[in-house]
Amino acid sequence: MIRLTVREDRCKACGLCIGHCPKKNLRPSAAMNEAGYHPVEQVDPKECTGCGICAVMCPDVCFTIEKVTLVGERKEVKQ
């Protein structure tokens, strides 16, 4: 599972990440941040592939992408 975190306080809603997301999984939030911008949010967290394009495109370093393993999750090992 991939966890995408957006630093809403840093986001200026420039839209670079939205325009470059290959899954079209980012959109402007309805809420405003303290600076008066509508920060980016994920449409569906399950659709995120963790490609990192949003983080590369963001001029304000708003994104953190983590691979999360759930406790008890089965892993398939190829031999």
Side-chain angles (χ1 to χ4, degrees):
M1 184 171 104
I2 303 297
R3 180 186 308 150
L4 177 73
T5 306
V6 180
R7 289 278 312 266
E8 294 178 2
D9 60 319
R10 289 185 179 181
C11 183
K12 296 184 302 196
C14 68
L16 290 172
C17 57
I18 294 171
H20 286 87
C21 178
K23 294 293 218 168
K24 304 297 179 208
N25 195 28
L26 298 172
R27 66 180 173 207
S29 171
M32 285 184 151
N33 63 16
E34 290 182 12
Y37 298 109
H38 293 275
V40 171
E41 67 180 5
Q42 274 188 302
V43 175
D44 183 359
K46 295 176 186 171
E47 288 295 314
C48 182
T49 63
C51 69
I53 294 172
C54 55
V56 171
M57 295 307 298
C58 183
D60 297 305
V61 194
C62 295
F63 293 92
T64 302
I65 302 168
E66 304 168 281
K67 183 175 182 178
V68 178
T69 303
L70 301 175
V71 175
E73 183 178 293
R74 288 179 39 182
K75 292 183 181 179
E76 188 174 313
V77 179
K78 294 183 179 184
Q79 297 183 17

